Amino acid sequence: MTTDSAPYAEFVVDLDAVAHNVHTLRAHAGDAATMVVVKADGYNHGAVAVARAALAAGARELGVTTIGEALGLRAAGIDAPILSWLNTSAADYAAAIRADVEIGVSSVGHLAAVAAAARTVGSPATVTIKVDTGLNRNGVSPTEYPQLLNALADLTRDRLVRLRGMFSHLALADEPQHPVVDRQRTRFVEAVAQAKASGLEPELIHLANSAATLTRPDLHFDMVRPGIAVYGLSPVPELGTFGLVPAMTLTAHVALV
C-alpha cells in the first residue's frame, strides 16, 4: 500500500556491488594500486558511501575533480589519499593544502597559484603534474611543459611543493586497440622521462581509466584510476560486462498500465 507521502520514484545503491566491482578491477590491475574516482558525488551514487566501500574493498586512493569534492570527503572523516585534478587557478588551494589534498596542476598558472597558497599556509603543497597527451580537456600543453618543469624544480628545491606523481587522461580507451591509445602512452612515457631529466622524481605515475584497467595491462604503470566501472557499467560494452555488477537500481510506482 502506498500513500501520497510515499516517493513515486527512488534509486537504491548497492554498496556490496561497489565492493565487488573494486575487487574485480583490482584483480585486473595486478601489482598496480587502485584509485577509485568518486567525482560528481560518486557518479550520483553518494561519494562518501562509495568511497568508504571502495577503500574497505582495497582501493588505496580516491580521485575527484574539485577541491570542494575533496573537502567533503575529508569532512566525512575519510583520511585516504585524495587527488583533485580539475580546478581553476582561483580555486581555494590553501584549503586543499590544510586538508592534505593532493593537487593536480595543469599549467604554469595553476602551479603559481598553488605555490602562493603554500606560502600563505606555511606548509608545502603536494602536487601531481597532469600532462595533456591528446585528450585536450586539461593538462599541461607540450609547449608550456618545459617552463612548468623549470618552475616546479625551483619550488621543490625551496620546499614549497612536493611532487608526488604524474598522470594523464586517455581519449579513446574504449577502443583498446586504437592507435591513439598507443600514441598517448608514448607521449606520457616521454613526458615522464623529460621530468626525470629535469631532476624531478615522481613517486608514482598513472594513466589507465576503467577501460584501460580492464583491457590494457601495459597502461597500468603504478596505479589505475577507474571511474564508471566501479559503479558496474562496462566501459567497453562490446567486450562484455567483465563481471561488473550495476550498483544502482531505479524503481517507480506504476501510474497507469
Side-chain angles (χ1 to χ4, degrees), residues 14 17-22 24-25 34-45 50 63 85 137 169-170 173-174 208-214 224-237 240-248:
D14 182 355
V18 171
H20 166 84
N21 296 332
V22 171
T24 299
L25 290 158
T34 301
M35 172 188 285
V36 165
V37 179
V38 293
K39 65 183 181 181
D41 194 26
Y43 290 60
N44 280 334
H45 288 66
V50 169
W85 63 65
R137 184 170 68 193
H169 266 96
L170 295 166
D174 54 346
N209 58 5
S210 290
T213 299
L214 294 165
V224 298
R225 205 177 58 244
I228 194 66
V230 171
Y231 306 92
L233 297 182
S234 172
V236 194
T241 67
F242 299 95
L244 302 169
V245 177
M248 182 186 289

Side-chain angles (χ1 to χ4, degrees), residues 63-220:
V64 297
T65 49
T66 67
I67 290 170
E69 291 174 331
L71 296 179
L73 295 174
R74 287 285 187 255
I78 293 171
D79 58 4
I82 302 173
L83 171 63
S84 168
W85 63 65
L86 187 55
N87 297 283
T88 70
S89 56
D92 191 354
Y93 293 115
I97 295 167
R98 292 188 185 100
D100 191 26
V101 172
E102 188 176 339
I103 302 164
V105 292
S106 295
S107 71
V108 172
H110 283 96
L111 181 59
V114 171
R119 291 186 183 94
T120 298
V121 173
S123 298
T126 301
V127 303
T128 279
I129 303 171
K130 183 176 183 187
V131 293
D132 180 20
T133 56
L135 179 60
N136 295 311
R137 184 170 68 193
N138 76 315
V140 185
S141 68
T143 54
E144 193 179 40
Y145 188 51
Q147 183 183 352
L148 181 134
L149 292 179
N150 289 336
L152 186 56
D154 290 339
L155 291 169
T156 54
R157 278 193 296 269
D158 293 341
R159 297 187 178 181
L160 277 172
V161 168
R162 167 198 168 210
L163 174 63
R164 181 160 189 256
M166 290 184 63
F167 78 117
S168 187
H169 266 96
L170 295 166
L172 292 173
D174 54 346
E175 299 179 47
Q177 304 309 316
H178 198 289
V180 165
V181 179
D182 296 321
R183 196 176 308 146
Q184 285 194 261
R185 184 190 191 281
T186 298
R187 290 172 178 170
F188 182 59
V189 170
E190 289 173 348
V192 172
Q194 191 174 350
K196 291 182 177 181
S198 298
L200 297 167
E201 287 291 339
E203 298 172 20
L204 75 167
I205 60 174
H206 45 104
L207 179 62
N209 58 5
S210 290
T213 299
L214 294 165
T215 65
R216 291 289 301 262
D218 60 314
L219 303 180
H220 290 172

Side-chain angles (χ1 to χ4, degrees), residues 1-8:
M1 178 178 178
T2 62
T3 66
D4 289 340
S5 62
Y8 282 95

